[in-house]
Amino acid sequence: PPAQCEDVAAAERRQPADPHLLQHPVVIGRSHNVGKPMAMMLLAANATVTVCHSATRDLAAHTREADLVVAAVGRRNILTRDMVKPGAVIIDIGMNRVPDGEPGAGKLCGDVDFDGVREVASWITPVPGGVGPMTRAMLLVNTLEAAEAATIG
């Protein structure tokens, strides 16, 4: 799977998945790099997954029911506080920039309104500093494995 999905999977391999999180996860994003592989990984863990995207009608109706939301659509603030079920876990894989003319212009941000959502979520990844460091770590692991495979065979 793509590196971002491997990040989450690497973290989850260290401990069993909370069955509560697998009851109703929502993945916002349908890309071949993140959204679809993440949905497939959740399905492999016996979750019943809802896949949404930037054109999903009434996105909030889906996310308000979710125990886990993975945001990977590439649209700043697509997930806001009013769209999150209290106690949900939020994984923000988005990478965007604050537009010119707004406070913090040019600053890296995710798909989730971090300041608002953190007040209702039980756990949330920040951007930057959330899945990014795991992405780099997994890229190094994959590079090392490829180098070892090349020297062995």
Side-chain angles (χ1 to χ4, degrees):
Q4 291 90 348
C5 294
E6 285 185 1
D7 300 341
V8 177
E12 289 299 320
R13 282 185 209 128
R14 291 185 176 83
Q15 60 189 18
D18 180 350
H20 174 74
L21 295 178
L22 299 177
Q23 287 179 9
H24 188 196
V26 170
V27 176
I28 308 172
R30 56 184 169 183
S31 74
H32 295 292
N33 292 330
V34 180
K36 289 177 183 175
M38 180 59 66
M40 293 298 111
M41 291 173 76
L42 289 165
L43 283 169
N46 292 324
T48 301
V49 183
T50 300
V51 177
C52 299
H53 48 80
S54 60
T56 297
R57 289 185 187 193
D58 199 4
L59 177 62
H62 298 282
T63 59
R64 280 190 203 110
E65 299 297 319
D67 301 303
L68 168 67
V69 178
V70 179
V73 73
R75 185 170 291 175
R76 180 175 163 252
N77 293 337
I78 196 164
L79 187 71
T80 58
R81 175 188 177 143
D82 62 310
M83 299 170 70
V84 176
K85 177 180 177 179
V89 170
I90 311 298
I91 300 176
D92 190 350
I93 303 177
M95 195 165 78
N96 309 286
R97 296 268 177 200
V98 176
D100 291 338
E102 291 189 25
K107 181 181 173 188
L108 187 64
C109 62
D111 289 349
V112 177
D113 172 21
F114 183 84
D115 290 334
V117 172
R118 74 188 294 184
E119 295 178 14
V120 293
S122 64
W123 192 80
I124 184 172
T125 59
V127 175
V131 299
M134 282 298 291
T135 298
R136 289 188 293 277
M138 292 308 298
L139 287 171
L140 290 172
V141 166
N142 291 341
T143 301
L144 179 60
E145 289 176 359
E148 288 173 344
T151 59
I152 294 173

